Structures are given as structure tokens and as C-alpha cells.
Amino acid sequence: MTQKSALVLFSGGQDSTICLAYALRKFDRVETIGFYYGQRHDVEMQCRETVRDAIRREFPEWGNKLAEDHVCDLSVLGDISETSLTRDRPIETEVGGLPSTFVPGRNLMFITLAAAVAWRRGIATLIGGMCETDYSGYPDCRRSTLDAQELTLRRGMDFPFVIDTPLMWLDKAETWDFAQELGGTKLVNLVVEETHTCYKGDRSHRHEWGYGCGTCPACELRAKGYQTWRQQVPA
Ligand code: ZN
């Protein structure tokens, strides 16, 4: 077993790309894992490849540490859940305060499967972009949930798993700041150009913060975070 390897839950989005950079700074060998779960668009899956390529090109030192990518087909999630991400339903807040983009159990499954892959590969550290601050309130992104899951995985697989969540207590502006700290302007530009956040899969409208429809909750959050960050950064 190696303490120098990590497995990053990597969607091709802003947060998981910054987590990947964090892992590449901190570990000697980094693998990535992504999940297909019947998303309405495959833009995210395409961005995963593009981001990995861009990291190899722009950060050769990190590129040498970037190892295997695993993709798991979880399309069963699309069969059993009725949400805005997997069905043609409007994105809105539903009774109980959870957005309709919430896929029940999704992150729990992602992490469990990531742990199964990591176990086979002797990797104890799982890294994910889950975040409690200024997020949509998904209960499976809370640190208390992840603490419980970490314990369950340790016991259930008899392996010293650690779920590392570097973005947990950062707001979206601080997340951009973190990217700047990890990889400078080059990483910030990579995140702007290559990562995908928009729920609608829009890659045709370019804003200062990247591509997206500009109006869905994910775009609004990304735009607001970027603008707040830019206002704080001295010109
Ligand atoms: Zn959008």
C-alpha cells in the first residue's frame, strides 16, 4: 500500500479539477475516476479528457504523476432517480429545500465505488470536491456524512481510507483563490477554459468565468464566485 498515491473523484468540473491540482501537488501518483450516470449531456465526460490533456501539456511535472483514469458506468442511477440532471425536468427548488438536481445517494455511491477501485489498487486516499459552503445543500456533500462514510468504508473494506475534501470549507471565491495558489494564473486559465459546470451542458457561450448558459444555478454560482474573487484580487 502506498501513502503517496491518491484517487481523485474527477468530473471535469471546476471543483474536481482544482482537487486534481491539489492532489498532484501533494502526492507522487494520482489516478482519477469518473462516473457516467445517464447525464442529459456528455459534455462533462468530454471535459474530463480535455482537462487531463491540458494538465499534461501545461504542467509537465504534474503530468508525470498523472496516472490511470477509471470510468464507471452508473447509468442505473438514471433509471432509478427522477432529477433534472438525468431527465427533462426544469431545475428548481423542491419541497424540503433540496434542488431538483439532487440525485439521492449519488455521492454515496460514487465514493463507495471509488473506494472499491482504490482498495484494489492499494490507494488509501480518496479526494473529492465536496463542499458545504455556499453549495446547493446536498446532504451527501456534508463533512459529517463523509466522516460517517469514511468510517463505514474503513470497517467494511478493512482498509485505512481517508476521504480528503480540500474545498469543504471554501466558498466559490476562495476556491478560485486556491486554484491561483496551487498553479498560478496558468491553472486559473485552465479552469476557466476547459472545465465544465453548467447543468445544461452549454459550451457555446463564453463568459469571463468560462463556458455555460449563464442562468442555471451552477452557472450563477460559478459566475458569482469568480466575480467576487476578481474584485478581491489586486489588478
Ligand atoms: Zn448553465
Side-chain angles (χ1 to χ4, degrees):
M1 192 188 78
T2 170
Q3 302 288 358
K4 302 200 165 193
S5 297
L7 178 64
V8 177
L9 284 91
F10 178 57
S11 69
Q14 172 188 354
D15 290 346
S16 68
T17 297
I18 295 170
C19 283
L20 180 54
Y22 162 84
L24 289 163
R25 283 279 300 259
K26 194 171 168 187
F27 293 86
D28 292 340
R29 197 169 168 285
V30 177
E31 301 187 12
T32 51
I33 185 165
F35 302 96
Y36 175 79
Y37 55 93
Q39 294 96 321
R40 291 193 299 194
H41 49 80
D42 60 358
V43 172
E44 268 187 45
M45 295 311 269
Q46 289 163 14
C47 283
R48 296 180 77 257
E49 283 304 314
T50 321
V51 169
R52 280 176 54 98
D53 289 346
I55 284 180
R56 279 197 215 94
R57 192 176 60 239
E58 303 286 333
F59 299 89
E61 214 175 289
W62 291 356
N64 291 333
K65 302 176 173 185
L66 186 57
E68 281 90 336
D69 181 39
H70 311 271
V71 176
C72 293
D73 186 346
L74 267 182
S75 45
V76 62
L77 267 178
D79 299 337
I80 59 176
S81 52
E82 284 278 334
T83 77
S84 294
L85 292 186
T86 53
R87 292 277 191 280
D88 260 334
R89 284 178 53 191
I91 294 168
E92 59 202 12
T93 299
E94 295 190 331
V95 188
L98 276 171
S100 58
T101 48
F102 176 62
V103 182
R106 182 179 64 178
N107 280 312
L108 299 175
M109 281 185 78
F110 284 1
I111 293 166
T112 302
L113 287 166
V117 169
W119 186 94
R120 297 191 72 94
R121 305 185 65 77
I123 299 172
T125 304
L126 308 173
I127 299 177
M130 288 72 76
C131 175
E132 269 193 45
T133 320
D134 128 268
Y135 203 59
S136 321
Y138 293 172
D140 51 358
C141 287
R142 293 180 193 142
R143 189 61 232 187
S144 57
T145 307
L146 297 170
D147 284 340
Q149 196 172 9
E150 189 179 81
L151 183 63
T152 303
L153 292 171
R154 284 178 178 209
R155 294 196 178 161
M157 297 191 202
D158 197 17
F159 198 71
F161 284 115
V162 172
I163 304 176
D164 188 349
T165 51
L167 309 185
M168 183 56 73
W169 308 111
L170 304 181
D171 64 28
K172 290 293 165 204
E174 289 167 331
T175 300
W176 285 105
D177 213 31
F178 189 43
Q180 175 84 44
E181 193 185 310
L182 289 167
T185 307
K186 208 157 63 163
L187 182 62
V188 170
N189 291 341
L190 190 155
V191 171
V192 167
E193 292 301 329
E194 312 293 358
T195 69
H196 185 78
T197 306
C198 177
Y199 281 147
K200 293 178 179 165
D202 186 327
R203 293 293 292 170
S204 56
H205 297 92
R206 170 70 159 79
H207 313 262
E208 56 173 351
W209 44 264
Y211 290 91
C213 71
T215 54
C216 76
C219 281
E220 278 179 2
L221 196 61
R222 178 160 164 154
K224 194 167 148 272
Y226 185 85
Q227 282 147 9
T228 308
W229 177 64
R230 290 308 302 174
Q231 282 158 15
Q232 290 163 358
V233 176

